[in-house]
Every structure is written in C-alpha cells, then in structure tokens.
Amino acid sequence: MSCDLPIGVFDSGVGGLTVAKEIMKQLPSEQIIYFGDTARVPYGSKSKETVTMYSRQIIRFLLTKDVKAIVIACNTATAFALDTVKEEFNIPIIGVVKPGAKAAAKTTKNGKIGVIGTQGTIASGIYNDVLSGISENLHVYGKACPLFVPLVEEGWIDDPVTREVAARYINELMEKDIDTLVMGCTHYPLLRQVIRQIVGSEIDLVNPAYETARTLRMELMDRGLTSDSKRTCDHMFFVSDGAEKFRNFANTILPCEIIETKDVNIKTFE
C-alpha cells in the first residue's frame, strides 16, 4: 500500500470536521477524503443495525477513492459499527471512543468522569465499558444530549437557545462532582465555548477529535504508512445531501478553504 494514498474520514454530518481539522493540524502531509452523511443525520436516534448499514455503505464509497485508512469520526457509528466493520474490511479503521476515553482516564483526578453524547452512544454504554477496562476506580456518568447535533447542523453555535439547552443537560452532570467531561460526539467540540461557560474552569474538557488524530498518527507510523508529501489543500469532501450548505459551514471551521463539495448517492454502495 502506498504511503501517499489518502485517509478516509466519515461522520453523520458536519461534526466529523472537528476530527478532520485535527488531522490536518497534526498530519499536514496527509490528504483527507471526507464524507458527511447529511441526508441521514442524526445517527444518535437510529438503531445499531441501521447505523452499521450506513457505515458499510460509506466505507465502500471511501474504498473507491483508494484510501489507506479510515477514521469513523462519529461516536455513535464507532459504538454501533466499529467492531463489525473492522472484521469485514481489510483496512485499518479507527474510531473516536477509545482515544477519548483514554485521555479522560489520564486527566481525571477524582475518578468522576462525565460523558455527553447522543442517545445511541450513551445507551450503548461504550464509554463505561472502555473506562472500566482501564480502571475499576473510575466512575462514569453519561448524559444524552439529543438536541446538540441538530443545533450544530443548523449552525446555532452561539445562540441563547443553545446555551439554555446546554445548561439543562450539563447541570445534571455537574451535580455528580465530575472533574472531567468528555465531549462524546464529534459535533460537540463546536459547542466548546458554550460548554465551557457552563462548567467553568474547574472541569477539564476532553476532545476525542484531538486524541483520535494522535491515535491515527501513531497507527500510520506503526504501519509505515505516513506520507511525506508537500500538501496544499487537496482534500476532497463529499456529502449525501446539501453540498453547498456543508461547504459554507466547513469553511468556517477548517484551516484551508474548500473549493468544492460533491453530492453522492450513498445508497448505491450496498
């Protein structure tokens, strides 16, 4: 496998751009092929079987772009589909849960960790499972925040409604005396400022996007797949709906300008 092949990254929508951004910063020589499943967002309220089917379709699409590794930049898809697709596809596939959980375990001082995520991620108990495997002394408190993803997808990043919703979700966790909060959905770092205003300075925020990029870098190094190409901004972006809206939003987040985003009929990749 050539070192100069691109990396596939996918999410239910725009949230995975937080992971793409970190990969661009930490691995500037790598090309990214990004797919956002904007026609079927959010994933958090859908069944495991449905999310796994969606993940298979997207991976098959990314494989047509000759990617050398795939990052599932979605906590729900990681929780529901990662183990299955890793068995089915002969390519390195990385999720976002374990990197975030490991960082939280290193960060906490009192062993009380809060996790905010979609209904699917929280109900799966995946963060509890991973963290309990790291240490039995860790106490994990999960809170589903189902309105966060549609608020982010709508672009309501700094809005009174968003602040009110966030406070109602997060105050419940703060009553548990947590000292660490995992933003367990890749959309949520886009609300970091709002979340920080609510939790104050005493609670550490863990961004799995940053940790996932670090994990990807180590995985590529271990496999001898790191690229040393001189990149400009040759990343490629695809969505299942609303290409122009996605491009406009992405250009407010990413460090380089996206010139074009293309629509893909992802359902054809059965």
Side-chain angles (χ1 to χ4, degrees):
M1 184 180 293
S2 171
C3 298
D4 291 330
L5 292 175
I7 296 165
V9 178
F10 76 87
D11 178 53
S12 62
V14 303
L17 292 171
T18 61
V19 178
K21 179 180 179 180
E22 289 296 335
I23 294 173
M24 291 177 189
K25 289 167 60 178
Q26 297 186 40
L27 296 92
S29 295
E30 303 291 347
Q31 181 189 18
I32 294 172
I33 309 292
Y34 184 97
F35 181 85
D37 199 2
T38 46
R40 303 185 291 197
V41 66
Y43 280 7
S45 58
K46 295 178 173 63
S47 69
K48 178 176 181 177
E49 291 73 21
T50 296
V51 174
T52 301
M53 176 184 70
Y54 291 173
S55 299
R56 286 193 186 103
Q57 292 172 347
I58 297 167
I59 290 171
R60 291 186 184 114
F61 164 71
L62 290 173
L63 290 176
T64 67
K65 303 300 179 182
D66 294 325
V67 296
K68 63 184 176 185
I70 291 174
V71 176
I72 302 180
C74 172
N75 281 261
T76 303
T78 298
F80 285 168
L82 178 62
D83 290 343
T84 298
V85 296
K86 285 183 73 172
E87 291 182 359
E88 294 178 353
F89 295 95
N90 186 27
I91 187 173
I93 303 177
I94 297 169
V96 290
V97 171
K98 286 184 178 180
K102 289 178 180 177
K106 291 180 181 179
T107 300
T108 184
K109 296 178 178 63
N110 69 3
K112 297 181 180 180
I113 300 171
V115 179
I116 51 176
T118 66
Q119 291 174 324
T121 298
I122 299 302
S124 75
I126 189 169
Y127 274 97
N128 302 60
D129 294 342
V130 174
L131 285 164
S132 63
I134 295 172
S135 172
E136 59 183 15
N137 297 320
L138 297 174
H139 302 278
V140 183
Y141 305 95
K143 178 63 181 177
C145 305
L147 293 178
F148 275 1
V149 170
L151 286 169
V152 170
E153 292 283 335
E154 192 61 31
W156 292 15
I157 303 299
D158 185 16
D159 186 274
V161 172
T162 304
R163 290 193 290 273
E164 174 64 23
V165 169
R168 294 185 66 174
Y169 284 147
I170 296 171
N171 283 339
E172 180 180 323
L173 288 177
M174 293 177 66
E175 294 174 359
K176 305 294 185 181
D177 193 34
I178 62 170
D179 71 350
T180 302
L181 180 63
V182 180
M183 294 180 285
C185 171
T186 51
H187 284 72
Y188 295 2
L190 297 170
L191 300 175
R192 185 185 185 98
Q193 290 186 343
V194 170
I195 294 170
R196 174 56 74 196
Q197 290 171 6
I198 296 166
V199 303
S201 59
E202 299 301 315
I203 294 177
D204 288 308
L205 297 181
V206 173
N207 179 3
Y210 174 81
E211 303 299 335
T212 299
R214 292 183 66 236
T215 299
L216 173 64
R217 185 177 69 243
M218 291 185 286
E219 179 80 10
L220 294 178
M221 290 176 62
D222 289 345
R223 293 174 177 267
L225 290 176
T226 54
S227 172
D228 58 2
S229 297
K230 301 298 181 183
R231 299 285 179 199
T232 51
C233 189
D234 58 351
H235 310 295
M236 301 175 67
F237 295 84
F238 301 87
V239 294
S240 50
D241 190 39
E244 188 65 16
K245 180 181 178 181
F246 176 92
R247 187 182 70 84
N248 291 337
F249 188 89
N251 278 331
T252 68
I253 296 170
L254 297 178
C256 64
E257 184 181 5
I258 301 174
I259 303 300
E260 182 182 25
T261 300
K262 296 181 180 180
D263 284 307
V264 172
N265 184 2
I266 197 64
K267 293 180 181 179
T268 63
F269 292 87
E270 292 288 353

